[in-house]
Amino acid sequence: MAKKGPKKGSMHIKQHTAGTSNELSFSVLDAKRDEAAPVSGLSPRDMTELGRVSLFTLPGKQPQGDSSAPSGFGMAPQQRHRAASGATSFSYASQSEVVFRKHRRSARRIVAVLGAIALVGVVVFAGTRIAGVAFERTQRSSAAIDEAYALLESSDEAILALDSAVAMPAQGSNSVLNDRLSSLAAVESLLDRAINRAEEVSSQKSDSEYLEVASQIKEAAIARKDLVEKGRISLVQGKTAKRGADLAMQAWEQTMSADAAARSAVADANPSNYDIAAAQESVALFQDALVLVRQAMVEYPQADFSLFETYLEKRGNALQNAIACAVSLRSGDEAASNANAIAYNNTEQEAAQIASSLPDNPAQPILDVFGEEGADADEAYQEARKRASRADAALRALTEP
């Protein structure tokens, strides 16, 4: 705020006077003298000064005579000398000087007091302003840290759920894995906001303790973001592996149903008694199982399902031979019936040999590859997890009592 000068008209004081300190009083004295000079056309009352005796009554006044004669002319030399000596003006000037000096001393005291008051006011105002700015900065820093910490805490639940899903991806359903993946975007948004609020504290040049906490909150949020990114990679791999494994399990269940239907259809040793309709239904079930296996191969192409695929093809072909054998026999074409019967037996034996090599878990081909290819992603996630844990521990050490 600009410092206000004296009110205009209240004091006629020259703020920057060149020369000695007496120059100011002399200039005022001269002005007083000029004001005391007789002015033509004014009455004696107009020439009085605050009740003082009019100049026209003082000794040395011009004697009665020719009013047209200029003052100082037509007098005796002695009279002119007295008029020129300024005896009357000297007496008036002495009184004016005394009054002026009193006013000057009073003015100086007033100015000194006002200056002191103004100086104190400036100091108080400046100190209050500085204290106010510091307090406001502290309040902003505290509010920013509180919000950043709250945002960090808001991500806890999702981070823990992510950690559980990454640790046991095969045990979660596809819907659970999808939910975990879809929630990560919201978690990253929370962490970005926490980072921004922590950076605000640094930009405000806050106290050291606020800067330390803000820095640690930022590190914890960044570490969690890295954990989320590494977790997303693991979850995507887990999701595709889970989907492929589920398809493999569905294919196996369909295979069991087809196998049961096939055994029932060809249970009689006489091909003429085969249940052709049940056999045809079994062939369709084997075809459905084969479709599911091939879908698993597309979902997770790294896994080798060729053995399972060949087994299902063999079982379907064997049943086709069985159906042809029964139809040929019933039509009286024994040669064709015998040829189809031999093909049926041979294909069934080949399928049995393949079945003996199939793993107990139909999804094992996926699990084998996932364990190898997921090792790098898992290692990266574990490193990010350690960093996040250290950052959280350091933050708790700063904030907990």
PDB file of all heavy atoms in Angstrom, residues 124-154:
ATOM      1  N   VAL A 124       3.861  -3.353  11.645  1.00  0.00           N
ATOM      2  CA  VAL A 124       2.808  -4.286  12.060  1.00  0.00           C
ATOM      3  C   VAL A 124       2.108  -4.884  10.854  1.00  0.00           C
ATOM      4  O   VAL A 124       1.849  -6.093  10.782  1.00  0.00           O
ATOM      5  CB  VAL A 124       1.796  -3.575  12.985  1.00  0.00           C
ATOM      6  CG1 VAL A 124       0.585  -4.459  13.246  1.00  0.00           C
ATOM      7  CG2 VAL A 124       2.463  -3.185  14.299  1.00  0.00           C
ATOM      8  N   PHE A 125       1.807  -4.006   9.882  1.00  0.00           N
ATOM      9  CA  PHE A 125       1.127  -4.498   8.681  1.00  0.00           C
ATOM     10  C   PHE A 125       1.988  -5.516   7.943  1.00  0.00           C
ATOM     11  O   PHE A 125       1.509  -6.572   7.528  1.00  0.00           O
ATOM     12  CB  PHE A 125       0.800  -3.326   7.763  1.00  0.00           C
ATOM     13  CG  PHE A 125       0.217  -3.740   6.443  1.00  0.00           C
ATOM     14  CD1 PHE A 125      -1.108  -4.105   6.326  1.00  0.00           C
ATOM     15  CD2 PHE A 125       1.018  -3.794   5.304  1.00  0.00           C
ATOM     16  CE1 PHE A 125      -1.637  -4.499   5.111  1.00  0.00           C
ATOM     17  CE2 PHE A 125       0.499  -4.188   4.086  1.00  0.00           C
ATOM     18  CZ  PHE A 125      -0.838  -4.532   3.999  1.00  0.00           C
ATOM     19  N   ALA A 126       3.283  -5.173   7.788  1.00  0.00           N
ATOM     20  CA  ALA A 126       4.187  -6.091   7.079  1.00  0.00           C
ATOM     21  C   ALA A 126       4.312  -7.403   7.826  1.00  0.00           C
ATOM     22  O   ALA A 126       4.268  -8.489   7.229  1.00  0.00           O
ATOM     23  CB  ALA A 126       5.558  -5.445   6.913  1.00  0.00           C
ATOM     24  N   GLY A 127       4.475  -7.301   9.167  1.00  0.00           N
ATOM     25  CA  GLY A 127       4.587  -8.541   9.948  1.00  0.00           C
ATOM     26  C   GLY A 127       3.324  -9.365   9.881  1.00  0.00           C
ATOM     27  O   GLY A 127       3.361 -10.596   9.744  1.00  0.00           O
ATOM     28  N   THR A 128       2.175  -8.682   9.970  1.00  0.00           N
ATOM     29  CA  THR A 128       0.892  -9.401   9.886  1.00  0.00           C
ATOM     30  C   THR A 128       0.723 -10.040   8.523  1.00  0.00           C
ATOM     31  O   THR A 128       0.253 -11.174   8.401  1.00  0.00           O
ATOM     32  CB  THR A 128      -0.261  -8.423  10.156  1.00  0.00           C
ATOM     33  OG1 THR A 128      -0.078  -7.815  11.434  1.00  0.00           O
ATOM     34  CG2 THR A 128      -1.603  -9.150  10.136  1.00  0.00           C
ATOM     35  N   ARG A 129       1.123  -9.277   7.501  1.00  0.00           N
ATOM     36  CA  ARG A 129       0.999  -9.810   6.139  1.00  0.00           C
ATOM     37  C   ARG A 129       1.880 -11.031   5.952  1.00  0.00           C
ATOM     38  O   ARG A 129       1.450 -12.042   5.402  1.00  0.00           O
ATOM     39  CB  ARG A 129       1.383  -8.714   5.148  1.00  0.00           C
ATOM     40  CG  ARG A 129       1.323  -9.147   3.685  1.00  0.00           C
ATOM     41  CD  ARG A 129      -0.066  -9.563   3.288  1.00  0.00           C
ATOM     42  NE  ARG A 129      -0.134  -9.951   1.895  1.00  0.00           N
ATOM     43  CZ  ARG A 129      -1.154 -10.582   1.358  1.00  0.00           C
ATOM     44  NH1 ARG A 129      -2.196 -10.913   2.115  1.00  0.00           N
ATOM     45  NH2 ARG A 129      -1.150 -10.895   0.079  1.00  0.00           N
ATOM     46  N   ILE A 130       3.129 -10.927   6.421  1.00  0.00           N
ATOM     47  CA  ILE A 130       4.050 -12.064   6.288  1.00  0.00           C
ATOM     48  C   ILE A 130       3.534 -13.263   7.063  1.00  0.00           C
ATOM     49  O   ILE A 130       3.540 -14.398   6.575  1.00  0.00           O
ATOM     50  CB  ILE A 130       5.457 -11.659   6.776  1.00  0.00           C
ATOM     51  CG1 ILE A 130       6.061 -10.614   5.824  1.00  0.00           C
ATOM     52  CG2 ILE A 130       6.366 -12.878   6.873  1.00  0.00           C
ATOM     53  CD1 ILE A 130       7.349 -10.009   6.323  1.00  0.00           C
ATOM     54  N   ALA A 131       3.083 -12.990   8.295  1.00  0.00           N
ATOM     55  CA  ALA A 131       2.552 -14.091   9.108  1.00  0.00           C
ATOM     56  C   ALA A 131       1.312 -14.687   8.462  1.00  0.00           C
ATOM     57  O   ALA A 131       1.113 -15.905   8.462  1.00  0.00           O
ATOM     58  CB  ALA A 131       2.226 -13.585  10.510  1.00  0.00           C
ATOM     59  N   GLY A 132       0.477 -13.797   7.883  1.00  0.00           N
ATOM     60  CA  GLY A 132      -0.731 -14.292   7.225  1.00  0.00           C
ATOM     61  C   GLY A 132      -0.413 -15.157   6.023  1.00  0.00           C
ATOM     62  O   GLY A 132      -1.036 -16.201   5.804  1.00  0.00           O
ATOM     63  N   VAL A 133       0.557 -14.726   5.231  1.00  0.00           N
ATOM     64  CA  VAL A 133       0.958 -15.513   4.057  1.00  0.00           C
ATOM     65  C   VAL A 133       1.532 -16.856   4.485  1.00  0.00           C
ATOM     66  O   VAL A 133       1.220 -17.901   3.896  1.00  0.00           O
ATOM     67  CB  VAL A 133       1.992 -14.730   3.220  1.00  0.00           C
ATOM     68  CG1 VAL A 133       2.596 -15.608   2.142  1.00  0.00           C
ATOM     69  CG2 VAL A 133       1.341 -13.499   2.597  1.00  0.00           C
ATOM     70  N   ALA A 134       2.367 -16.833   5.533  1.00  0.00           N
ATOM     71  CA  ALA A 134       2.947 -18.088   6.019  1.00  0.00           C
ATOM     72  C   ALA A 134       1.869 -19.017   6.552  1.00  0.00           C
ATOM     73  O   ALA A 134       1.879 -20.230   6.290  1.00  0.00           O
ATOM     74  CB  ALA A 134       3.977 -17.801   7.111  1.00  0.00           C
ATOM     75  N   PHE A 135       0.908 -18.445   7.288  1.00  0.00           N
ATOM     76  CA  PHE A 135      -0.174 -19.272   7.834  1.00  0.00           C
ATOM     77  C   PHE A 135      -1.035 -19.844   6.716  1.00  0.00           C
ATOM     78  O   PHE A 135      -1.410 -21.022   6.742  1.00  0.00           O
ATOM     79  CB  PHE A 135      -1.035 -18.422   8.770  1.00  0.00           C
ATOM     80  CG  PHE A 135      -2.211 -19.167   9.350  1.00  0.00           C
ATOM     81  CD1 PHE A 135      -2.029 -20.094  10.367  1.00  0.00           C
ATOM     82  CD2 PHE A 135      -3.489 -18.948   8.861  1.00  0.00           C
ATOM     83  CE1 PHE A 135      -3.111 -20.780  10.887  1.00  0.00           C
ATOM     84  CE2 PHE A 135      -4.576 -19.631   9.385  1.00  0.00           C
ATOM     85  CZ  PHE A 135      -4.387 -20.553  10.403  1.00  0.00           C
ATOM     86  N   GLU A 136      -1.326 -19.000   5.717  1.00  0.00           N
ATOM     87  CA  GLU A 136      -2.133 -19.466   4.587  1.00  0.00           C
ATOM     88  C   GLU A 136      -1.411 -20.574   3.818  1.00  0.00           C
ATOM     89  O   GLU A 136      -2.024 -21.561   3.414  1.00  0.00           O
ATOM     90  CB  GLU A 136      -2.428 -18.293   3.662  1.00  0.00           C
ATOM     91  CG  GLU A 136      -3.342 -18.647   2.492  1.00  0.00           C
ATOM     92  CD  GLU A 136      -3.629 -17.442   1.619  1.00  0.00           C
ATOM     93  OE1 GLU A 136      -3.247 -16.321   2.018  1.00  0.00           O
ATOM     94  OE2 GLU A 136      -4.211 -17.628   0.543  1.00  0.00           O
ATOM     95  N   ARG A 137      -0.088 -20.412   3.635  1.00  0.00           N
ATOM     96  CA  ARG A 137       0.682 -21.443   2.951  1.00  0.00           C
ATOM     97  C   ARG A 137       0.683 -22.746   3.753  1.00  0.00           C
ATOM     98  O   ARG A 137       0.560 -23.829   3.193  1.00  0.00           O
ATOM     99  CB  ARG A 137       2.109 -20.947   2.734  1.00  0.00           C
ATOM    100  CG  ARG A 137       2.969 -21.943   1.959  1.00  0.00           C
ATOM    101  CD  ARG A 137       4.285 -21.320   1.522  1.00  0.00           C
ATOM    102  NE  ARG A 137       5.057 -20.847   2.642  1.00  0.00           N
ATOM    103  CZ  ARG A 137       5.425 -19.590   2.820  1.00  0.00           C
ATOM    104  NH1 ARG A 137       5.071 -18.663   1.953  1.00  0.00           N
ATOM    105  NH2 ARG A 137       6.150 -19.223   3.863  1.00  0.00           N
ATOM    106  N   THR A 138       0.815 -22.621   5.064  1.00  0.00           N
ATOM    107  CA  THR A 138       0.787 -23.811   5.916  1.00  0.00           C
ATOM    108  C   THR A 138      -0.564 -24.513   5.836  1.00  0.00           C
ATOM    109  O   THR A 138      -0.635 -25.738   5.766  1.00  0.00           O
ATOM    110  CB  THR A 138       1.086 -23.420   7.375  1.00  0.00           C
ATOM    111  OG1 THR A 138       2.383 -22.840   7.446  1.00  0.00           O
ATOM    112  CG2 THR A 138       1.035 -24.640   8.281  1.00  0.00           C
ATOM    113  N   GLN A 139      -1.635 -23.717   5.834  1.00  0.00           N
ATOM    114  CA  GLN A 139      -2.974 -24.305   5.744  1.00  0.00           C
ATOM    115  C   GLN A 139      -3.166 -25.027   4.419  1.00  0.00           C
ATOM    116  O   GLN A 139      -3.729 -26.130   4.368  1.00  0.00           O
ATOM    117  CB  GLN A 139      -4.033 -23.210   5.910  1.00  0.00           C
ATOM    118  CG  GLN A 139      -4.128 -22.626   7.308  1.00  0.00           C
ATOM    119  CD  GLN A 139      -4.591 -23.656   8.327  1.00  0.00           C
ATOM    120  OE1 GLN A 139      -3.774 -24.254   9.035  1.00  0.00           O
ATOM    121  NE2 GLN A 139      -5.869 -23.882   8.390  1.00  0.00           N
ATOM    122  N   ARG A 140      -2.706 -24.404   3.343  1.00  0.00           N
ATOM    123  CA  ARG A 140      -2.827 -25.050   2.029  1.00  0.00           C
ATOM    124  C   ARG A 140      -2.007 -26.337   1.973  1.00  0.00           C
ATOM    125  O   ARG A 140      -2.469 -27.344   1.441  1.00  0.00           O
ATOM    126  CB  ARG A 140      -2.375 -24.091   0.928  1.00  0.00           C
ATOM    127  CG  ARG A 140      -3.325 -22.953   0.646  1.00  0.00           C
ATOM    128  CD  ARG A 140      -3.051 -22.335  -0.708  1.00  0.00           C
ATOM    129  NE  ARG A 140      -1.690 -21.870  -0.822  1.00  0.00           N
ATOM    130  CZ  ARG A 140      -1.300 -20.631  -0.563  1.00  0.00           C
ATOM    131  NH1 ARG A 140      -2.176 -19.721  -0.179  1.00  0.00           N
ATOM    132  NH2 ARG A 140      -0.028 -20.271  -0.708  1.00  0.00           N
ATOM    133  N   SER A 141      -0.811 -26.296   2.531  1.00  0.00           N
ATOM    134  CA  SER A 141       0.039 -27.489   2.531  1.00  0.00           C
ATOM    135  C   SER A 141      -0.594 -28.600   3.340  1.00  0.00           C
ATOM    136  O   SER A 141      -0.607 -29.765   2.922  1.00  0.00           O
ATOM    137  CB  SER A 141       1.422 -27.144   3.097  1.00  0.00           C
ATOM    138  OG  SER A 141       2.071 -26.192   2.294  1.00  0.00           O
ATOM    139  N   SER A 142      -1.126 -28.245   4.497  1.00  0.00           N
ATOM    140  CA  SER A 142      -1.759 -29.256   5.347  1.00  0.00           C
ATOM    141  C   SER A 142      -2.961 -29.871   4.656  1.00  0.00           C
ATOM    142  O   SER A 142      -3.150 -31.094   4.680  1.00  0.00           O
ATOM    143  CB  SER A 142      -2.178 -28.612   6.673  1.00  0.00           C
ATOM    144  OG  SER A 142      -2.833 -29.552   7.505  1.00  0.00           O
ATOM    145  N   ALA A 143      -3.783 -29.036   4.027  1.00  0.00           N
ATOM    146  CA  ALA A 143      -4.966 -29.544   3.327  1.00  0.00           C
ATOM    147  C   ALA A 143      -4.568 -30.434   2.149  1.00  0.00           C
ATOM    148  O   ALA A 143      -5.190 -31.483   1.912  1.00  0.00           O
ATOM    149  CB  ALA A 143      -5.820 -28.377   2.845  1.00  0.00           C
ATOM    150  N   ALA A 144      -3.530 -30.029   1.423  1.00  0.00           N
ATOM    151  CA  ALA A 144      -3.080 -30.833   0.277  1.00  0.00           C
ATOM    152  C   ALA A 144      -2.547 -32.188   0.730  1.00  0.00           C
ATOM    153  O   ALA A 144      -2.816 -33.218   0.102  1.00  0.00           O
ATOM    154  CB  ALA A 144      -1.999 -30.068  -0.498  1.00  0.00           C
ATOM    155  N   ILE A 145      -1.800 -32.202   1.824  1.00  0.00           N
ATOM    156  CA  ILE A 145      -1.257 -33.470   2.334  1.00  0.00           C
ATOM    157  C   ILE A 145      -2.383 -34.369   2.817  1.00  0.00           C
ATOM    158  O   ILE A 145      -2.392 -35.585   2.558  1.00  0.00           O
ATOM    159  CB  ILE A 145      -0.242 -33.192   3.460  1.00  0.00           C
ATOM    160  CG1 ILE A 145       1.068 -32.690   2.852  1.00  0.00           C
ATOM    161  CG2 ILE A 145       0.016 -34.449   4.287  1.00  0.00           C
ATOM    162  CD1 ILE A 145       2.120 -32.330   3.863  1.00  0.00           C
ATOM    163  N   ASP A 146      -3.354 -33.797   3.524  1.00  0.00           N
ATOM    164  CA  ASP A 146      -4.485 -34.597   4.005  1.00  0.00           C
ATOM    165  C   ASP A 146      -5.233 -35.234   2.833  1.00  0.00           C
ATOM    166  O   ASP A 146      -5.598 -36.414   2.883  1.00  0.00           O
ATOM    167  CB  ASP A 146      -5.441 -33.728   4.816  1.00  0.00           C
ATOM    168  CG  ASP A 146      -4.872 -33.351   6.175  1.00  0.00           C
ATOM    169  OD1 ASP A 146      -3.905 -34.018   6.603  1.00  0.00           O
ATOM    170  OD2 ASP A 146      -5.383 -32.413   6.804  1.00  0.00           O
ATOM    171  N   GLU A 147      -5.466 -34.448   1.795  1.00  0.00           N
ATOM    172  CA  GLU A 147      -6.199 -34.983   0.642  1.00  0.00           C
ATOM    173  C   GLU A 147      -5.374 -36.042  -0.092  1.00  0.00           C
ATOM    174  O   GLU A 147      -5.910 -37.075  -0.504  1.00  0.00           O
ATOM    175  CB  GLU A 147      -6.560 -33.851  -0.312  1.00  0.00           C
ATOM    176  CG  GLU A 147      -7.417 -34.325  -1.485  1.00  0.00           C
ATOM    177  CD  GLU A 147      -7.821 -33.185  -2.402  1.00  0.00           C
ATOM    178  OE1 GLU A 147      -7.614 -32.018  -2.031  1.00  0.00           O
ATOM    179  OE2 GLU A 147      -8.357 -33.482  -3.494  1.00  0.00           O
ATOM    180  N   ALA A 148      -4.080 -35.776  -0.255  1.00  0.00           N
ATOM    181  CA  ALA A 148      -3.218 -36.745  -0.933  1.00  0.00           C
ATOM    182  C   ALA A 148      -3.176 -38.063  -0.162  1.00  0.00           C
ATOM    183  O   ALA A 148      -3.236 -39.144  -0.752  1.00  0.00           O
ATOM    184  CB  ALA A 148      -1.809 -36.176  -1.083  1.00  0.00           C
ATOM    185  N   TYR A 149      -3.079 -37.965   1.151  1.00  0.00           N
ATOM    186  CA  TYR A 149      -3.040 -39.181   1.983  1.00  0.00           C
ATOM    187  C   TYR A 149      -4.366 -39.932   1.888  1.00  0.00           C
ATOM    188  O   TYR A 149      -4.395 -41.169   1.802  1.00  0.00           O
ATOM    189  CB  TYR A 149      -2.748 -38.802   3.431  1.00  0.00           C
ATOM    190  CG  TYR A 149      -2.347 -39.971   4.297  1.00  0.00           C
ATOM    191  CD1 TYR A 149      -1.014 -40.321   4.443  1.00  0.00           C
ATOM    192  CD2 TYR A 149      -3.296 -40.724   4.966  1.00  0.00           C
ATOM    193  CE1 TYR A 149      -0.640 -41.402   5.222  1.00  0.00           C
ATOM    194  CE2 TYR A 149      -2.934 -41.804   5.753  1.00  0.00           C
ATOM    195  CZ  TYR A 149      -1.607 -42.131   5.881  1.00  0.00           C
ATOM    196  OH  TYR A 149      -1.245 -43.200   6.655  1.00  0.00           O
ATOM    197  N   ALA A 150      -5.481 -39.191   1.895  1.00  0.00           N
ATOM    198  CA  ALA A 150      -6.794 -39.828   1.784  1.00  0.00           C
ATOM    199  C   ALA A 150      -6.954 -40.527   0.439  1.00  0.00           C
ATOM    200  O   ALA A 150      -7.511 -41.630   0.352  1.00  0.00           O
ATOM    201  CB  ALA A 150      -7.895 -38.779   1.974  1.00  0.00           C
ATOM    202  N   LEU A 151      -6.467 -39.896  -0.620  1.00  0.00           N
ATOM    203  CA  LEU A 151      -6.540 -40.521  -1.943  1.00  0.00           C
ATOM    204  C   LEU A 151      -5.698 -41.789  -1.986  1.00  0.00           C
ATOM    205  O   LEU A 151      -6.099 -42.795  -2.596  1.00  0.00           O
ATOM    206  CB  LEU A 151      -6.055 -39.539  -3.005  1.00  0.00           C
ATOM    207  CG  LEU A 151      -6.969 -38.354  -3.289  1.00  0.00           C
ATOM    208  CD1 LEU A 151      -6.251 -37.302  -4.127  1.00  0.00           C
ATOM    209  CD2 LEU A 151      -8.237 -38.814  -3.995  1.00  0.00           C
ATOM    210  N   LEU A 152      -4.550 -41.747  -1.336  1.00  0.00           N
ATOM    211  CA  LEU A 152      -3.690 -42.928  -1.277  1.00  0.00           C
ATOM    212  C   LEU A 152      -4.394 -44.059  -0.531  1.00  0.00           C
ATOM    213  O   LEU A 152      -4.372 -45.217  -0.955  1.00  0.00           O
ATOM    214  CB  LEU A 152      -2.371 -42.563  -0.591  1.00  0.00           C
ATOM    215  CG  LEU A 152      -1.181 -43.501  -0.818  1.00  0.00           C
ATOM    216  CD1 LEU A 152      -0.787 -43.513  -2.283  1.00  0.00           C
ATOM    217  CD2 LEU A 152       0.006 -43.067   0.022  1.00  0.00           C
ATOM    218  N   GLU A 153      -5.028 -43.708   0.570  1.00  0.00           N
ATOM    219  CA  GLU A 153      -5.756 -44.722   1.345  1.00  0.00           C
ATOM    220  C   GLU A 153      -6.923 -45.303   0.556  1.00  0.00           C
ATOM    221  O   GLU A 153      -7.259 -46.479   0.703  1.00  0.00           O
ATOM    222  CB  GLU A 153      -6.272 -44.113   2.643  1.00  0.00           C
ATOM    223  CG  GLU A 153      -5.244 -44.024   3.749  1.00  0.00           C
ATOM    224  CD  GLU A 153      -5.869 -43.614   5.063  1.00  0.00           C
ATOM    225  OE1 GLU A 153      -6.754 -42.744   5.059  1.00  0.00           O
ATOM    226  OE2 GLU A 153      -5.471 -44.175   6.101  1.00  0.00           O
ATOM    227  N   SER A 154      -7.541 -44.475  -0.279  1.00  0.00           N
ATOM    228  CA  SER A 154      -8.692 -44.937  -1.065  1.00  0.00           C
ATOM    229  C   SER A 154      -8.318 -46.044  -2.039  1.00  0.00           C
ATOM    230  O   SER A 154      -9.187 -46.794  -2.499  1.00  0.00           O
ATOM    231  CB  SER A 154      -9.309 -43.770  -1.832  1.00  0.00           C
ATOM    232  OG  SER A 154      -9.781 -42.773  -0.944  1.00  0.00           O
TER     233      SER A 154
END
